[in-house]
Amino acid sequence: MQDELTISTKSGIEIRVDRSILDNAAEIRLRLEGNAACVLHWGLRRGLSSPWTMPPQPLWPEGSKPFDHSAVRSPFLPRQGHKEIVVKLDLSMKFPLLEFVLFFPEEGSWDNNTGRNYRIEIPSGEIPKSRRLSLGEAELDSLAGEIIDKEMGRSSWTLMHRFDLCYDLMDKVKINDSEGMALLFVWLRYSAIRQLDWQRNYNTKPRELGHAVDRLTLKLADRYAKAEAERGLLRLIISTLGRGSNAQRVRDEVLNIMHRHNIKEVSGHFMEEWHQKLHNNTTPDDMVICEAYLEFLRSDGNLQRFYQKLEQGGITKQRLESFERPIRSTPDFVPYLKDALIRDFEHFLGILKEVHAGADLGIAIQSARRLFDQDMHARMDFIWTHQNDQDATPLIEKITLSRLYLAGRLTGPPYDLRDLLFLDIALEEFLRTVVERSIGQQLTGELLVNWTELVLENLCLSGKDTEFQYILTHWKRLRVMPHFEGEWSLHAESVLERIRRAIGSFVDQFQNLIQPKAEFLGNAFHADSWSINLFSEEVLRGRPEFVLSTLLRYFDPILRKSAGLGNWQIISRGRGTGEVKSLDSLKSVQGMYFEKPSVIVADKIRGDEEIPQGVAAIITPSDIDALSHLAIRARNAGVLFAVCYDPDTIGQLKVLSGRLVKLSVNNAGSVVIEETSTEERIEQKHIVGFRGAPVTTAFSAYAIPIRDFTERNVGYKSNKL
């Protein structure tokens, strides 16, 4: 596998990039023509929102030096007629992005692409689409094939065409067919996160797009009333869409604003270029552009703030210029029009959100008001007025009461049901925002008792899961008893353990349903590798289960202390034998390969790290979210991962650094630590990265029945499943 690209930098330097796969490693060769005196300042990223990670030192190009624990500086070395840097990365590291800037030592200056940095997608060695297996079911494969043919074909394509196709394909998905509906969700989410074209050789009038969205959301609402087993997936699909509404107002209102303020329709000006884009193909990008323009006006014409706001919304200057109706000009600031334009474009932003963001809280409240009783009006007014309050409890209580009110009304005509569904989804999302922004505050035990019930109530309102409903009933009975006495704390801790098991079960089911489809479609769409690898995890992070898991992380130590319980919280059950390695943080060994099986004792863990190859177990005193990236990876790999709340036990483990220990989990839920002989054979069954070389066998059958699955003839994941 080999490909190449050319990066034209802001400093006028062109870098030719050759990417290839060789001997289970990705090789990235950066070639610089001429004699420019610059160095490559670079790091690895798991996604656009994750921090830079320094690659392991053995993989640094010749002459490289570390910088600030997260980046490497590599010189371009002279070759025949050019300069180059060669980066080789082990494919098992699974970093999808190499990000860099150029540093000019002689001048002390930088080229960081005006704050956006330069990125190279690291080849992953994935199997080409033509050799990929199907999804396994004829009807599902047919559905996926039709989607892929339309998305990857050469014909004209816009959001309108995508939504029209989805409308038609829904008729091919049987009622309560979760597999088919999950495929449609994955497809539309790839669209929502900009992994698919929003316009290709076609102009769509706003009213045509509005009609496509309007009829699709009404059809989804009608199906919600009929297909109880699909409701969780239908909510996810609806969350990727706008309302459609009267989208013609987008075209009319921007003209009204321009005429009202005598802004001439003259080419070469920002407002006219944006006006042309809005007329010919309005997309969710326009909400970000409008917010950035408002930031520009409020900052008295600060262009840096304009572009910062754009980038926060996922839009670069290059994306603006790539539109079929490109926006190349920068906005003009006219001081005497500032206040009037801010007022008009705040109103215009509301119109754009009606079309493209149905689950926006303000739009959802306004659209559903006609269906409220007096108490619901009062609750919505309180939530909107106090949405930025630091005291989270009243907001969480009002959100819960509002959603209980809506739960009994998610029936009836599709128009009413759709508006109530958008509001319910918006309130669910706002609950997550309120809890997450408050989690850093000092949370008392009593507060966590209350919040746990409220979040459980919201989780049950978002989907029908019998186990979570039983847990909620159990917690309500427990809550009326005197709190934090010994027996009560033991009882409460048992419920928390039940919650953790239920969350783990939900995560496994969700990933098994969603991730294979995300990988199948993502590779067919040539989506960014980070968006494929993290697809189901990113969706999970937006769900109520993640909010509840975050609360447990803070609640568990309080209950354990009150109950006089043991010092262990098991994140991932398993057993492991290896050499103890004591670390300040797990981040410090990202991308490393341990030749000997190792037991990591890390003081600091954030939860977004990967498990290095050769790791048998991870022990930490850090509080870890059971739905963190690391926790999910550990469970999938069968690696023992546990939190220890006892400093003495952590200290005893650190004393064993460099020695061999055997770890297991006993029936009481504690980790048993045994020092073992170096001569004892190390069980490598659960060691990350310790997979034997593939065994070549003679062809005997086109398929292997599950009874014959072994580690010799199928992959590790298939064998484990």
Side-chain angles (χ1 to χ4, degrees):
M1 171 187 170
Q2 186 167 4
D3 69 351
E4 62 182 55
L5 59 95
T6 300
I7 297 175
S8 299
T9 68
K10 298 296 182 184
S11 50
I13 295 172
E14 286 201 346
I15 300 175
R16 179 181 171 185
V17 181
D18 294 311
R19 299 177 293 182
S20 59
I21 300 292
L22 183 65
D23 296 331
N24 202 36
E27 182 179 280
I28 301 173
R29 189 177 298 268
L30 297 94
R31 180 175 296 181
L32 191 69
E33 303 294 339
N35 295 306
C38 62
V39 297
L40 195 78
H41 181 98
W42 63 285
L44 304 176
R45 265 190 166 180
R46 300 216 175 272
L48 297 181
S49 60
S50 64
W52 279 26
T53 297
M54 179 187 290
Q57 188 169 358
L59 302 180
W60 295 358
E62 184 181 346
S64 297
K65 295 181 180 179
F67 184 87
D68 197 24
H69 305 293
S70 61
V72 177
R73 282 187 178 174
S74 304
F76 286 90
L77 300 178
R79 296 289 183 262
Q80 294 181 351
H82 66 274
K83 294 181 178 181
E84 74 175 19
I85 294 172
V86 179
V87 180
K88 292 184 178 180
L89 301 169
D90 194 313
L91 290 177
S92 63
M93 293 168 60
K94 296 190 180 300
F95 280 95
L97 298 173
L98 184 154
E99 189 164 290
F100 72 90
V101 299
L102 297 177
F103 178 63
F104 298 84
E106 295 177 1
E107 306 166 12
S109 62
W110 299 81
D111 175 0
N112 64 358
N113 195 20
T114 61
R116 294 182 291 276
N117 301 342
Y118 299 99
R119 299 186 184 104
I120 299 171
E121 187 171 337
I122 299 170
S124 62
E126 295 287 349
I127 301 170
K129 173 187 159 187
S130 60
R131 291 168 51 201
R132 287 195 165 272
L133 295 174
S134 72
L135 288 169
E137 296 181 16
E139 292 181 0
L140 207 58
D141 288 340
S142 175
L143 199 68
E146 194 164 349
I147 291 169
I148 293 166
D149 287 345
K150 295 292 186 181
E151 291 289 354
M152 306 311 293
R154 296 184 179 181
S155 59
S156 301
W157 198 248
T158 65
L159 288 172
M160 177 193 71
H161 295 99
R162 181 170 299 131
F163 298 150
D164 282 344
L165 177 61
C166 185
Y167 180 92
D168 294 337
L169 292 183
M170 281 181 62
D171 292 332
K172 298 184 178 182
V173 179
K174 297 175 183 177
I175 294 293
N176 291 324
D177 176 7
S178 295
E179 293 287 337
M181 204 53 65
L183 186 76
L184 297 184
F185 161 65
V186 170
W187 169 35
L188 292 184
R189 180 169 169 82
Y190 271 126
S191 172
I193 61 175
R194 297 190 177 94
Q195 295 300 305
L196 294 170
D197 291 337
W198 285 357
Q199 181 182 24
R200 188 169 69 228
N201 304 321
Y202 195 91
N203 291 328
T204 301
K205 297 181 180 67
R207 61 179 174 79
E208 295 171 340
L209 173 65
H211 174 69
V213 179
D214 188 60
R215 72 184 196 128
L216 175 57
T217 52
L218 288 173
K219 191 168 190 174
L220 288 163
D222 183 60
R223 186 157 180 138
Y224 186 92
K226 299 174 182 176
E228 187 173 350
E230 293 176 9
R231 286 180 179 174
L233 290 165
L234 288 167
R235 291 173 67 91
L236 289 173
I237 293 173
I238 291 170
S239 70
T240 69
L241 301 168
R243 294 181 68 255
S245 189
N246 181 11
Q248 180 62 26
R249 293 170 63 206
V250 171
R251 187 169 186 168
D252 296 341
E253 186 60 21
V254 71
L255 270 177
N256 291 338
I257 294 172
M258 293 177 73
H259 293 164
R260 192 178 302 135
H261 301 291
N262 296 315
I263 299 172
K264 295 182 179 179
E265 299 174 45
V266 180
S267 61
H269 290 269
F270 167 81
M271 191 59 68
E272 173 58 16
E273 289 172 351
W274 186 25
H275 158 233
Q276 288 300 321
K277 181 200 176 300
L278 289 163
H279 270 219
N280 291 282
N281 201 52
T282 180
T283 69
D285 280 338
D286 293 312
M287 294 185 293
V288 182
I289 296 170
C290 190
E291 288 172 338
Y293 183 58
L294 282 166
E295 186 70 20
F296 171 81
L297 293 172
R298 293 176 186 130
S299 64
D300 294 330
N302 187 326
L303 277 174
Q304 185 176 2
R305 297 275 289 276
F306 173 74
Y307 286 112
Q308 285 175 345
K309 194 70 175 178
L310 282 176
E311 188 166 359
Q312 288 171 10
I315 299 179
T316 62
K317 190 171 186 293
Q318 288 84 351
R319 184 171 177 85
L320 287 180
E321 294 172 353
S322 71
F323 295 148
E324 294 194 13
R325 299 284 179 158
I327 301 176
R328 299 190 177 97
S329 303
T330 56
D332 300 316
F333 181 68
V334 182
Y336 73 88
L337 290 177
K338 172 184 172 179
D339 292 338
L341 286 175
I342 288 174
R343 182 178 61 251
D344 283 354
F345 277 99
E346 284 177 341
H347 174 66
F348 186 58
L349 178 61
I351 294 174
L352 289 170
K353 285 181 175 180
E354 282 188 37
V355 176
H356 299 296
D360 174 83
L361 182 61
I363 297 301
I365 291 173
Q366 190 62 34
S367 299
R369 273 200 183 273
R370 72 185 193 282
L371 303 169
F372 298 166
D373 63 15
Q374 187 174 351
D375 289 340
M376 186 64 174
H377 275 294
R379 284 192 290 269
M380 290 298 99
D381 290 342
F382 180 90
I383 289 171
W384 186 249
T385 305
H386 297 272
Q387 59 181 300
N388 297 315
D389 284 6
Q390 293 301 307
D391 186 1
T393 300
L395 278 171
I396 296 173
E397 290 173 345
K398 296 291 186 187
I399 291 169
T400 307
L401 287 171
S402 300
R403 296 195 65 208
L404 284 167
Y405 169 87
L406 293 174
R409 290 161 176 79
L410 292 177
T411 55
Y415 277 99
D416 294 349
L417 178 53
R418 177 185 64 179
D419 290 343
L420 294 176
L421 261 176
F422 271 127
L423 177 58
D424 193 50
I425 292 167
L427 289 170
E428 177 192 282
E429 171 63 23
F430 185 52
L431 174 78
R432 182 177 68 87
T433 301
V434 171
V435 173
E436 287 183 353
R437 77 185 183 203
S438 305
I439 210 69
Q441 302 171 9
Q442 192 67 33
L443 301 178
T444 66
E446 288 296 339
L447 199 62
L448 287 165
V449 170
N450 184 27
W451 285 15
T452 298
E453 178 180 336
L454 293 171
V455 174
L456 266 170
E457 187 87 65
N458 277 274
L459 193 158
C460 291
L461 291 169
S462 296
K464 190 172 182 180
D465 187 306
T466 305
E467 176 63 6
F468 281 116
Q469 290 171 342
Y470 287 150
I471 292 171
L472 175 60
T473 302
H474 193 166
W475 190 259
K476 285 181 174 180
R477 290 203 305 266
L478 190 62
R479 224 195 125 200
V480 299
M481 303 175 186
H483 299 171
F484 297 105
E485 296 178 355
E487 187 172 339
W488 184 92
S489 296
L490 283 169
H491 195 163
E493 181 61 30
S494 74
V495 180
L496 260 60
E497 180 60 31
R498 187 178 181 184
I499 292 172
R500 279 190 286 268
R501 288 199 304 270
I503 290 175
S505 176
F506 169 78
V507 168
D508 291 343
Q509 293 173 16
F510 188 86
Q511 284 200 310
N512 290 338
L513 177 65
I514 298 297
Q515 192 60 29
K517 298 170 183 63
E519 292 172 3
F520 184 88
L521 288 182
N523 283 289
F525 295 155
H526 307 302
D528 292 337
S529 56
W530 61 265
S531 71
I532 300 172
N533 296 336
L534 299 178
F535 190 96
S536 58
E537 287 184 37
E538 290 299 311
V539 177
L540 282 167
R541 288 180 177 277
R543 293 187 57 86
E545 289 83 358
F546 182 76
V547 180
L548 185 58
S549 177
T550 303
L551 283 183
L552 299 195
R553 176 181 166 187
Y554 290 86
F555 199 3
D556 192 68
I558 297 173
L559 274 181
R560 283 180 171 274
K561 185 176 181 180
S562 172
L565 280 173
N567 299 311
W568 294 95
Q569 179 189 348
I570 308 303
I571 304 294
S572 170
R573 287 186 173 269
R575 65 181 187 275
T577 300
E579 185 180 293
V580 176
K581 297 189 182 298
S582 178
L583 307 172
D584 289 332
S585 70
L586 187 60
K587 183 182 178 183
S588 65
V589 292
Q590 288 298 277
M592 286 186 63
Y593 175 91
F594 294 104
E595 292 185 359
K596 296 180 180 179
S598 301
V599 171
I600 299 295
V601 183
D603 291 332
K604 297 177 183 177
I605 292 181
R606 297 188 311 185
D608 61 351
E609 301 92 342
E610 290 288 343
I611 304 173
Q613 288 199 50
V615 170
I618 302 172
I619 306 296
T620 181
S622 292
D623 288 325
I624 294 297
D625 194 322
L627 279 185
S628 66
H629 174 83
L630 181 63
I632 292 171
R633 286 289 187 264
R635 284 195 292 271
N636 287 342
V639 170
L640 193 158
F641 182 20
V643 177
C644 179
Y645 298 107
D646 180 28
D648 291 338
T649 303
I650 291 290
Q652 291 167 14
L653 262 174
K654 289 182 176 181
V655 168
L656 295 172
S657 186
R659 292 153 76 173
L660 204 62
V661 298
K662 181 189 292 184
L663 304 183
S664 59
V665 181
N666 64 19
N667 292 335
S670 297
V671 174
V672 178
I673 304 166
E674 302 175 73
E675 191 171 359
T676 185
S677 168
T678 56
E679 296 178 357
E680 183 175 339
R681 180 180 178 273
I682 297 175
E683 174 63 57
Q684 293 185 347
K685 181 178 179 181
H686 298 299
I687 308 299
V688 174
F690 278 77
R691 307 283 174 256
V695 179
T696 303
T697 58
F699 173 81
S700 60
Y702 285 100
I704 304 171
I706 195 167
R707 65 177 179 273
D708 294 335
F709 276 26
T710 71
E711 289 188 355
R712 293 177 58 83
N713 59 19
V714 299
Y716 174 74
K717 184 176 180 181
S718 296
N719 191 54
K720 181 173 182 293
L721 291 174

